[in-house]
Amino acid sequence: MKQILCFGDSNTWGLIPKTNKRYEWGVRWTSLLNESLNDKKKGGYHVIEEGLCGRTTVFDDPLRDGRNGVKILPTILENHNPVDIVIIMLGTNDCKTVYNASAEFIGQGVKRLIGQVKSHIPDSKILVISPIHLGEGVWESDYDPVFSSASVNLSRELSDVYKKIAAQENVGFIAASEVASPSTADREHLNDEGHKRLARKVEEWVENVA
């Protein structure tokens, strides 16, 4: 049984846009990945969902505890070991104005997470996914004012930064923004079609390395 750990934020957790609810199993990209791989391979894969709303790479959320990725990833890796593949998709929440971060700094946070995986589970394969772009107007009062227009531009810079880091670290890379966009409902999260598109893209990568 190959174990695939998916470590991310609300778009890994499966938040339904404009709600506080979660998409059901069979809609979330992680669950679609699990089902499709096992249908094709007749079993043998277990996708572990470790998404958390508000999670960042390295930042402490001043209003919510436990959102700092580097503080919890080693524990999660130890808890689920052995893990064959670790998928990291973070960065959207790092674009919040409260953190005042550059794309390069956020990328260094991802690099720290990669280092933790290599240190704790050195034989695992790693896939880094740069997140979907934030939508124009996401900062408006009816949407999510923790972001700004600068946050949108920042989110668009992450794919190039992550791609370079993935090459330097010799790990896999996918840009979620190449296959999916934020929903029009909240300009921030994947809709059900976005989950399908991302699942297919990740599945292709898994099949090539597994």
Side-chain angles (χ1 to χ4, degrees), residues 61-84:
D61 189 318
L63 300 178
R64 291 188 289 183
D65 294 334
R67 265 56 188 183
N68 188 325
V70 297
K71 289 185 176 179
I72 192 64
L73 181 57
T75 302
I76 289 174
L77 293 172
E78 183 176 350
N79 184 49
H80 293 293
N81 197 26
V83 176
D84 300 281

PDB file of all heavy atoms in Angstrom, residues 61-84:
ATOM      1  N   ASP A  61      -0.356  32.565  12.616  1.00  0.00           N
ATOM      2  CA  ASP A  61      -1.552  33.385  12.462  1.00  0.00           C
ATOM      3  C   ASP A  61      -1.856  34.043  13.808  1.00  0.00           C
ATOM      4  O   ASP A  61      -2.015  33.352  14.807  1.00  0.00           O
ATOM      5  CB  ASP A  61      -2.726  32.501  12.018  1.00  0.00           C
ATOM      6  CG  ASP A  61      -3.956  33.302  11.622  1.00  0.00           C
ATOM      7  OD1 ASP A  61      -4.279  34.285  12.321  1.00  0.00           O
ATOM      8  OD2 ASP A  61      -4.615  32.932  10.637  1.00  0.00           O
ATOM      9  N   PRO A  62      -1.950  35.368  13.859  1.00  0.00           N
ATOM     10  CA  PRO A  62      -2.205  36.030  15.140  1.00  0.00           C
ATOM     11  C   PRO A  62      -3.587  35.763  15.713  1.00  0.00           C
ATOM     12  O   PRO A  62      -3.820  36.021  16.900  1.00  0.00           O
ATOM     13  CB  PRO A  62      -2.021  37.522  14.808  1.00  0.00           C
ATOM     14  CG  PRO A  62      -2.280  37.621  13.344  1.00  0.00           C
ATOM     15  CD  PRO A  62      -1.774  36.333  12.755  1.00  0.00           C
ATOM     16  N   LEU A  63      -4.501  35.246  14.901  1.00  0.00           N
ATOM     17  CA  LEU A  63      -5.870  35.020  15.365  1.00  0.00           C
ATOM     18  C   LEU A  63      -6.248  33.544  15.504  1.00  0.00           C
ATOM     19  O   LEU A  63      -7.253  33.227  16.145  1.00  0.00           O
ATOM     20  CB  LEU A  63      -6.861  35.694  14.402  1.00  0.00           C
ATOM     21  CG  LEU A  63      -6.706  37.212  14.241  1.00  0.00           C
ATOM     22  CD1 LEU A  63      -7.718  37.738  13.235  1.00  0.00           C
ATOM     23  CD2 LEU A  63      -6.867  37.920  15.580  1.00  0.00           C
ATOM     24  N   ARG A  64      -5.451  32.652  14.908  1.00  0.00           N
ATOM     25  CA  ARG A  64      -5.770  31.218  14.967  1.00  0.00           C
ATOM     26  C   ARG A  64      -4.517  30.414  15.238  1.00  0.00           C
ATOM     27  O   ARG A  64      -3.497  30.588  14.577  1.00  0.00           O
ATOM     28  CB  ARG A  64      -6.421  30.750  13.655  1.00  0.00           C
ATOM     29  CG  ARG A  64      -7.808  31.294  13.431  1.00  0.00           C
ATOM     30  CD  ARG A  64      -8.470  30.647  12.228  1.00  0.00           C
ATOM     31  NE  ARG A  64      -7.873  31.082  10.976  1.00  0.00           N
ATOM     32  CZ  ARG A  64      -8.314  30.701   9.775  1.00  0.00           C
ATOM     33  NH1 ARG A  64      -9.333  29.856   9.689  1.00  0.00           N
ATOM     34  NH2 ARG A  64      -7.739  31.142   8.682  1.00  0.00           N
ATOM     35  N   ASP A  65      -4.604  29.525  16.215  1.00  0.00           N
ATOM     36  CA  ASP A  65      -3.448  28.709  16.580  1.00  0.00           C
ATOM     37  C   ASP A  65      -3.233  27.577  15.578  1.00  0.00           C
ATOM     38  O   ASP A  65      -4.151  27.144  14.888  1.00  0.00           O
ATOM     39  CB  ASP A  65      -3.642  28.097  17.970  1.00  0.00           C
ATOM     40  CG  ASP A  65      -3.669  29.139  19.073  1.00  0.00           C
ATOM     41  OD1 ASP A  65      -3.073  30.212  18.876  1.00  0.00           O
ATOM     42  OD2 ASP A  65      -4.297  28.879  20.119  1.00  0.00           O
ATOM     43  N   GLY A  66      -1.993  27.094  15.540  1.00  0.00           N
ATOM     44  CA  GLY A  66      -1.684  25.865  14.820  1.00  0.00           C
ATOM     45  C   GLY A  66      -1.653  25.971  13.316  1.00  0.00           C
ATOM     46  O   GLY A  66      -1.766  24.949  12.627  1.00  0.00           O
ATOM     47  N   ARG A  67      -1.469  27.177  12.779  1.00  0.00           N
ATOM     48  CA  ARG A  67      -1.494  27.331  11.320  1.00  0.00           C
ATOM     49  C   ARG A  67      -0.113  27.323  10.685  1.00  0.00           C
ATOM     50  O   ARG A  67       0.007  27.302   9.470  1.00  0.00           O
ATOM     51  CB  ARG A  67      -2.206  28.638  10.958  1.00  0.00           C
ATOM     52  CG  ARG A  67      -3.688  28.485  10.634  1.00  0.00           C
ATOM     53  CD  ARG A  67      -4.477  27.852  11.706  1.00  0.00           C
ATOM     54  NE  ARG A  67      -5.845  27.554  11.279  1.00  0.00           N
ATOM     55  CZ  ARG A  67      -6.762  27.051  12.068  1.00  0.00           C
ATOM     56  NH1 ARG A  67      -6.471  26.780  13.331  1.00  0.00           N
ATOM     57  NH2 ARG A  67      -7.966  26.782  11.608  1.00  0.00           N
ATOM     58  N   ASN A  68       0.925  27.354  11.462  1.00  0.00           N
ATOM     59  CA  ASN A  68       2.295  27.397  10.954  1.00  0.00           C
ATOM     60  C   ASN A  68       2.732  26.019  10.474  1.00  0.00           C
ATOM     61  O   ASN A  68       2.884  25.084  11.258  1.00  0.00           O
ATOM     62  CB  ASN A  68       3.222  27.901  12.057  1.00  0.00           C
ATOM     63  CG  ASN A  68       4.628  28.173  11.579  1.00  0.00           C
ATOM     64  OD1 ASN A  68       5.150  27.474  10.720  1.00  0.00           O
ATOM     65  ND2 ASN A  68       5.264  29.178  12.155  1.00  0.00           N
ATOM     66  N   GLY A  69       2.946  25.895   9.167  1.00  0.00           N
ATOM     67  CA  GLY A  69       3.239  24.591   8.572  1.00  0.00           C
ATOM     68  C   GLY A  69       4.493  23.930   9.095  1.00  0.00           C
ATOM     69  O   GLY A  69       4.498  22.730   9.379  1.00  0.00           O
ATOM     70  N   VAL A  70       5.595  24.687   9.226  1.00  0.00           N
ATOM     71  CA  VAL A  70       6.857  24.066   9.640  1.00  0.00           C
ATOM     72  C   VAL A  70       6.819  23.592  11.087  1.00  0.00           C
ATOM     73  O   VAL A  70       7.624  22.755  11.484  1.00  0.00           O
ATOM     74  CB  VAL A  70       8.066  25.004   9.435  1.00  0.00           C
ATOM     75  CG1 VAL A  70       8.256  25.328   7.972  1.00  0.00           C
ATOM     76  CG2 VAL A  70       7.942  26.267  10.282  1.00  0.00           C
ATOM     77  N   LYS A  71       5.884  24.115  11.874  1.00  0.00           N
ATOM     78  CA  LYS A  71       5.796  23.698  13.277  1.00  0.00           C
ATOM     79  C   LYS A  71       5.050  22.377  13.450  1.00  0.00           C
ATOM     80  O   LYS A  71       5.193  21.729  14.483  1.00  0.00           O
ATOM     81  CB  LYS A  71       5.126  24.790  14.114  1.00  0.00           C
ATOM     82  CG  LYS A  71       5.998  26.023  14.320  1.00  0.00           C
ATOM     83  CD  LYS A  71       5.336  27.014  15.260  1.00  0.00           C
ATOM     84  CE  LYS A  71       6.258  28.197  15.537  1.00  0.00           C
ATOM     85  NZ  LYS A  71       5.622  29.200  16.439  1.00  0.00           N
ATOM     86  N   ILE A  72       4.251  22.002  12.449  1.00  0.00           N
ATOM     87  CA  ILE A  72       3.437  20.791  12.598  1.00  0.00           C
ATOM     88  C   ILE A  72       3.822  19.677  11.635  1.00  0.00           C
ATOM     89  O   ILE A  72       3.567  18.495  11.910  1.00  0.00           O
ATOM     90  CB  ILE A  72       1.932  21.134  12.426  1.00  0.00           C
ATOM     91  CG1 ILE A  72       1.042  19.967  12.870  1.00  0.00           C
ATOM     92  CG2 ILE A  72       1.633  21.520  10.979  1.00  0.00           C
ATOM     93  CD1 ILE A  72       1.146  19.625  14.324  1.00  0.00           C
ATOM     94  N   LEU A  73       4.464  20.006  10.502  1.00  0.00           N
ATOM     95  CA  LEU A  73       4.763  18.974   9.512  1.00  0.00           C
ATOM     96  C   LEU A  73       5.598  17.819  10.063  1.00  0.00           C
ATOM     97  O   LEU A  73       5.274  16.652   9.783  1.00  0.00           O
ATOM     98  CB  LEU A  73       5.435  19.581   8.283  1.00  0.00           C
ATOM     99  CG  LEU A  73       5.765  18.586   7.155  1.00  0.00           C
ATOM    100  CD1 LEU A  73       4.518  17.846   6.679  1.00  0.00           C
ATOM    101  CD2 LEU A  73       6.442  19.297   5.978  1.00  0.00           C
ATOM    102  N   PRO A  74       6.655  18.048  10.848  1.00  0.00           N
ATOM    103  CA  PRO A  74       7.419  16.907  11.371  1.00  0.00           C
ATOM    104  C   PRO A  74       6.555  15.938  12.176  1.00  0.00           C
ATOM    105  O   PRO A  74       6.719  14.715  12.066  1.00  0.00           O
ATOM    106  CB  PRO A  74       8.487  17.573  12.240  1.00  0.00           C
ATOM    107  CG  PRO A  74       8.691  18.908  11.617  1.00  0.00           C
ATOM    108  CD  PRO A  74       7.315  19.330  11.188  1.00  0.00           C
ATOM    109  N   THR A  75       5.628  16.474  12.963  1.00  0.00           N
ATOM    110  CA  THR A  75       4.728  15.613  13.739  1.00  0.00           C
ATOM    111  C   THR A  75       3.827  14.801  12.827  1.00  0.00           C
ATOM    112  O   THR A  75       3.603  13.600  13.042  1.00  0.00           O
ATOM    113  CB  THR A  75       3.865  16.468  14.679  1.00  0.00           C
ATOM    114  OG1 THR A  75       4.714  17.222  15.544  1.00  0.00           O
ATOM    115  CG2 THR A  75       2.938  15.594  15.513  1.00  0.00           C
ATOM    116  N   ILE A  76       3.295  15.443  11.797  1.00  0.00           N
ATOM    117  CA  ILE A  76       2.423  14.754  10.845  1.00  0.00           C
ATOM    118  C   ILE A  76       3.188  13.664  10.105  1.00  0.00           C
ATOM    119  O   ILE A  76       2.679  12.551   9.905  1.00  0.00           O
ATOM    120  CB  ILE A  76       1.813  15.770   9.865  1.00  0.00           C
ATOM    121  CG1 ILE A  76       0.784  16.643  10.591  1.00  0.00           C
ATOM    122  CG2 ILE A  76       1.175  15.070   8.667  1.00  0.00           C
ATOM    123  CD1 ILE A  76       0.230  17.778   9.755  1.00  0.00           C
ATOM    124  N   LEU A  77       4.413  13.961   9.700  1.00  0.00           N
ATOM    125  CA  LEU A  77       5.224  12.955   9.009  1.00  0.00           C
ATOM    126  C   LEU A  77       5.484  11.749   9.910  1.00  0.00           C
ATOM    127  O   LEU A  77       5.387  10.595   9.463  1.00  0.00           O
ATOM    128  CB  LEU A  77       6.551  13.577   8.566  1.00  0.00           C
ATOM    129  CG  LEU A  77       6.470  14.658   7.491  1.00  0.00           C
ATOM    130  CD1 LEU A  77       7.833  15.317   7.304  1.00  0.00           C
ATOM    131  CD2 LEU A  77       5.977  14.085   6.171  1.00  0.00           C
ATOM    132  N   GLU A  78       5.813  12.011  11.160  1.00  0.00           N
ATOM    133  CA  GLU A  78       6.067  10.911  12.090  1.00  0.00           C
ATOM    134  C   GLU A  78       4.802  10.105  12.341  1.00  0.00           C
ATOM    135  O   GLU A  78       4.835   8.875  12.429  1.00  0.00           O
ATOM    136  CB  GLU A  78       6.598  11.467  13.411  1.00  0.00           C
ATOM    137  CG  GLU A  78       6.972  10.388  14.427  1.00  0.00           C
ATOM    138  CD  GLU A  78       7.587  10.957  15.688  1.00  0.00           C
ATOM    139  OE1 GLU A  78       7.896  12.170  15.719  1.00  0.00           O
ATOM    140  OE2 GLU A  78       7.755  10.190  16.653  1.00  0.00           O
ATOM    141  N   ASN A  79       3.680  10.798  12.427  1.00  0.00           N
ATOM    142  CA  ASN A  79       2.413  10.128  12.704  1.00  0.00           C
ATOM    143  C   ASN A  79       2.000   9.181  11.583  1.00  0.00           C
ATOM    144  O   ASN A  79       1.458   8.101  11.852  1.00  0.00           O
ATOM    145  CB  ASN A  79       1.324  11.181  12.920  1.00  0.00           C
ATOM    146  CG  ASN A  79      -0.004  10.577  13.319  1.00  0.00           C
ATOM    147  OD1 ASN A  79      -0.070   9.749  14.220  1.00  0.00           O
ATOM    148  ND2 ASN A  79      -1.063  10.998  12.654  1.00  0.00           N
ATOM    149  N   HIS A  80       2.272   9.566  10.331  1.00  0.00           N
ATOM    150  CA  HIS A  80       1.801   8.769   9.190  1.00  0.00           C
ATOM    151  C   HIS A  80       2.887   7.888   8.568  1.00  0.00           C
ATOM    152  O   HIS A  80       2.597   7.136   7.643  1.00  0.00           O
ATOM    153  CB  HIS A  80       1.222   9.692   8.120  1.00  0.00           C
ATOM    154  CG  HIS A  80      -0.036  10.375   8.538  1.00  0.00           C
ATOM    155  ND1 HIS A  80      -1.216   9.700   8.764  1.00  0.00           N
ATOM    156  CD2 HIS A  80      -0.302  11.696   8.784  1.00  0.00           C
ATOM    157  CE1 HIS A  80      -2.158  10.559   9.109  1.00  0.00           C
ATOM    158  NE2 HIS A  80      -1.628  11.775   9.134  1.00  0.00           N
ATOM    159  N   ASN A  81       4.095   7.980   9.047  1.00  0.00           N
ATOM    160  CA  ASN A  81       5.200   7.190   8.492  1.00  0.00           C
ATOM    161  C   ASN A  81       4.885   5.692   8.569  1.00  0.00           C
ATOM    162  O   ASN A  81       4.355   5.231   9.586  1.00  0.00           O
ATOM    163  CB  ASN A  81       6.482   7.501   9.276  1.00  0.00           C
ATOM    164  CG  ASN A  81       7.730   7.064   8.560  1.00  0.00           C
ATOM    165  OD1 ASN A  81       7.755   6.970   7.343  1.00  0.00           O
ATOM    166  ND2 ASN A  81       8.760   6.789   9.320  1.00  0.00           N
ATOM    167  N   PRO A  82       5.149   4.916   7.520  1.00  0.00           N
ATOM    168  CA  PRO A  82       5.874   5.274   6.294  1.00  0.00           C
ATOM    169  C   PRO A  82       4.984   5.995   5.271  1.00  0.00           C
ATOM    170  O   PRO A  82       3.810   5.675   5.121  1.00  0.00           O
ATOM    171  CB  PRO A  82       6.329   3.926   5.748  1.00  0.00           C
ATOM    172  CG  PRO A  82       5.270   2.971   6.202  1.00  0.00           C
ATOM    173  CD  PRO A  82       4.835   3.464   7.559  1.00  0.00           C
ATOM    174  N   VAL A  83       5.580   6.970   4.603  1.00  0.00           N
ATOM    175  CA  VAL A  83       4.910   7.725   3.548  1.00  0.00           C
ATOM    176  C   VAL A  83       5.770   7.640   2.293  1.00  0.00           C
ATOM    177  O   VAL A  83       6.977   7.866   2.345  1.00  0.00           O
ATOM    178  CB  VAL A  83       4.701   9.195   3.948  1.00  0.00           C
ATOM    179  CG1 VAL A  83       4.083   9.981   2.801  1.00  0.00           C
ATOM    180  CG2 VAL A  83       3.815   9.292   5.192  1.00  0.00           C
ATOM    181  N   ASP A  84       5.145   7.310   1.174  1.00  0.00           N
ATOM    182  CA  ASP A  84       5.877   7.154  -0.083  1.00  0.00           C
ATOM    183  C   ASP A  84       5.970   8.457  -0.877  1.00  0.00           C
ATOM    184  O   ASP A  84       6.968   8.711  -1.545  1.00  0.00           O
ATOM    185  CB  ASP A  84       5.209   6.083  -0.946  1.00  0.00           C
ATOM    186  CG  ASP A  84       5.186   4.735  -0.257  1.00  0.00           C
ATOM    187  OD1 ASP A  84       6.224   4.055  -0.269  1.00  0.00           O
ATOM    188  OD2 ASP A  84       4.134   4.376   0.316  1.00  0.00           O
TER     189      ASP A  84
END
